[in-house]
Amino acid sequence: MSPRKSAHDELTKEAIISVARDLFVKEGYSSASMRKIADTLQCSHGAIYYHFKNKAQLFYEIVEADFQKLDQVLDSVLGESADTNEQKLFSIFYRYIQFGLTHQKHYELMFLIHDDDVKSYLNEGPNKSYMHFAQAINSLAPRSLSIKDIWSVFLSLHGFVTHYCRSETTFEEVKELASSHAQFLIKAIF
Amino acid sequence: MSPRKSAHDELTKEAIISVARDLFVKEGYSSASMRKIADTLQCSHGAIYYHFKNKAQLFYEIVEADFQKLDQVLDSVLGESADTNEQKLFSIFYRYIQFGLTHQKHYELMFLIHDDDVKSYLNEGPNKSYMHFAQAINSLAPRSLSIKDIWSVFLSLHGFVTHYCRSETTFEEVKELASSHAQFLIKAIF
DNA sequence: AATCTTATTGACCAGTGTTCAATAATGAAA
DNA sequence: TTTCATTATTGAACACTGGTCAATAAGATT
């Protein structure tokens, strides 16, 4: 029994986050328990509560970082040089799906978790990411799109990712379908 | 302590289902506990396990009856007399969303639940429902749609429902958005 | 050296799904 | 009517969960 660790292996937020992310991704939100996280960190579960208010907040901080990754994906597409706006739009749609399906557990954590505790925390993360997305679409669209149309595009992409997340299909397995779904949405707005 | 109730108030599957359905709808799958259900029924939580193998199975049986309601909704739209095929298509899209958002817990079970216990109980359900949907769309579409396009339409509707299920928004709150989303999809296939 | 601050522990609480021996009510056979 | 197997119910027990907190030891400050 030693109520405090020696300096060189003190617990850090970063260490907790790193371990917790792996466990959340591997087991999902509810199955990844604070005690399991603590075991992996070789500390007591109580210690985590010194660094994070509760499980939902720990989760939230992880997901927040993931949203920033999604933003980066969109930015990189916008930065790329493509021949036409249509090609860029296609690229955004396609890469959004690719991101969702190659980071399925992350996507799940970001958009699909259905937990009351978590839900109260998760509001501006998705919103900010969406605003990013909407602005990109709007700047590339051939005609002035209504806000509702952009929202429809997003929800349609979201539906694709959601469906294949649930059946745990890899992006490789559905890349042709992803391509045709992206094309379908282009058709709707051009 | 009386290890068995007298005949007139014996527990029945129907009584359990009725109480459990209310609680599942009110509190969601994980928060509605077997003990709460038992309390409302004024029996012990152990008794429920005599009638149902486990919580997941109880939930599944509750919703099984409603599982075919979606098919019924589609059938009733097809049976209705509408002026144009476009109107009928719109109706199908709109009513699909309406169904999903007015039976959120059921929709969640059918398409979104990630719980391993629950998932093993339902696999062919969604598939059968989709085949029904696809056939309806195909018979009403103005031009011969590719299978991929129909699939895209479905996923796009699914995305709408999924999103608002997660935030527990009522259908009433988003019916205008539902309408414009349906219109958006009509635009993509006409 | 004494004191203050900080990080950690682990006992504890109330809750969860699930199992199961014990047992009482029921219905059928003797 | 009495025996007896079947059936339905209980509640204790188990192994978990997220969360709280007094006790305490390591590090920092004076």
Side-chain angles (χ1 to χ4, degrees):
Chain A
M1 202 276 243
S2 59
R4 186 167 179 176
K5 294 195 149 131
S6 48
H8 68 285
D9 50 20
E10 262 194 4
L11 212 48
T12 62
K13 277 186 89 153
E14 287 66 39
I16 296 171
I17 282 179
S18 165
V19 164
R21 170 180 273 124
D22 284 353
L23 212 61
F24 279 135
V25 164
K26 213 195 301 171
E27 307 198 0
Y29 180 75
S30 59
S31 180
S33 74
M34 297 299 254
R35 281 172 178 79
K36 283 183 195 165
I37 295 168
D39 283 353
T40 311
L41 286 162
Q42 290 183 297
C43 70
S44 74
H45 66 283
I48 301 175
Y49 288 88
Y50 183 80
H51 301 273
F52 297 92
K53 197 177 137 225
N54 52 37
K55 187 183 181 183
Q57 173 126 55
L58 167 59
F59 177 75
Y60 170 74
E61 290 203 21
I62 291 170
V63 167
E64 193 73 359
D66 289 338
F67 271 114
Q68 278 168 23
K69 257 187 222 153
L70 177 56
D71 287 349
Q72 283 171 23
V73 168
L74 296 188
D75 279 336
S76 83
V77 173
L78 288 173
E80 282 168 12
S81 56
D83 291 343
T84 65
N85 281 354
E86 187 177 330
Q87 276 175 2
K88 271 195 178 176
L89 265 178
F90 176 86
S91 231
I92 285 185
F93 297 167
Y94 187 77
R95 295 273 285 277
Y96 181 92
I97 292 173
Q98 184 176 33
F99 174 87
L101 292 183
T102 52
H103 305 86
Q104 294 194 12
K105 292 291 177 181
H106 293 234
Y107 194 87
E108 190 186 321
L109 302 185
M110 290 160 73
F111 288 112
L112 302 177
I113 284 270
H114 209 93
D115 186 291
D116 286 341
D117 300 340
V118 166
K119 244 180 336 196
S120 61
Y121 283 90
L122 227 61
N123 267 331
E124 76 214 50
N127 236 331
K128 229 173 61 186
S129 253
Y130 173 70
M131 292 310 286
H132 208 83
F133 173 85
Q135 211 152 17
I137 303 302
N138 205 44
S139 71
L140 294 172
R143 54 191 172 85
S144 177
L145 290 177
S146 74
I147 288 176
K148 286 179 177 179
D149 276 346
I150 296 178
W151 186 232
S152 282
V153 170
F154 171 74
L155 291 178
S156 302
L157 288 171
H158 178 61
F160 191 100
V161 176
T162 296
H163 176 81
Y164 289 109
C165 265
R166 189 182 162 281
S167 58
E168 280 167 16
T169 310
T170 66
F171 177 70
E172 276 303 312
E173 294 176 69
V174 289
K175 55 201 273 193
E176 276 83 16
L177 270 177
S179 174
S180 79
H181 192 62
Q183 210 63 62
F184 171 82
L185 294 175
I186 297 274
K187 213 163 40 192
I189 61 176
F190 263 80
Chain B
M1 200 273 245
S2 58
R4 186 167 180 177
K5 293 196 149 129
S6 47
H8 68 284
D9 50 20
E10 263 193 8
L11 213 47
T12 62
K13 277 186 92 154
E14 286 67 37
I16 297 172
I17 283 179
S18 165
V19 164
R21 169 182 275 126
D22 285 352
L23 212 63
F24 278 134
V25 165
K26 211 195 302 169
E27 307 199 0
Y29 180 74
S30 60
S31 181
S33 75
M34 297 300 254
R35 281 173 179 78
K36 284 182 196 165
I37 295 168
D39 283 354
T40 310
L41 285 162
Q42 289 184 295
C43 70
S44 75
H45 60 284
I48 300 175
Y49 287 88
Y50 182 79
H51 299 274
F52 297 93
K53 200 178 135 224
N54 53 36
K55 189 184 180 182
Q57 174 130 54
L58 167 59
F59 194 28
Y60 173 69
E61 286 203 24
I62 280 168
V63 111
E64 198 185 20
D66 304 286
F67 208 93
Q68 280 121 23
K69 261 189 199 158
L70 177 55
D71 288 348
Q72 285 171 20
V73 167
L74 297 188
D75 280 336
S76 82
V77 173
L78 286 173
E80 280 168 14
S81 55
D83 292 342
T84 65
N85 280 354
E86 187 177 331
Q87 277 175 0
K88 272 195 177 176
L89 265 179
F90 176 85
S91 231
I92 285 184
F93 297 166
Y94 187 77
R95 296 272 285 275
Y96 181 92
I97 293 173
Q98 183 176 34
F99 174 87
L101 292 183
T102 52
H103 305 86
Q104 295 193 12
K105 303 291 172 187
H106 302 163
Y107 195 88
E108 192 184 319
L109 177 78
M110 289 158 74
F111 293 112
L112 302 175
I113 281 265
H114 244 80
D115 192 303
D116 286 340
D117 299 340
V118 168
K119 230 176 1 184
S120 62
Y121 281 88
L122 26 88
N123 269 328
E124 80 244 34
N127 238 333
K128 230 173 57 185
S129 252
Y130 171 69
M131 293 313 284
H132 207 82
F133 173 85
Q135 212 152 16
I137 303 301
N138 206 45
S139 70
L140 294 171
R143 54 191 173 83
S144 177
L145 289 176
S146 73
I147 288 176
K148 285 179 178 178
D149 277 345
I150 297 178
W151 186 232
S152 282
V153 169
F154 170 74
L155 291 178
S156 301
L157 289 171
H158 177 61
F160 190 100
V161 176
T162 296
H163 176 80
Y164 289 109
C165 266
R166 190 183 155 280
S167 57
E168 278 168 17
T169 310
T170 65
F171 177 70
E172 278 302 312
E173 294 176 70
V174 289
K175 56 200 273 194
E176 275 83 16
L177 270 177
S179 173
S180 80
H181 192 62
Q183 210 63 61
F184 171 83
L185 294 175
I186 296 275
K187 214 161 42 190
I189 62 177
F190 262 81

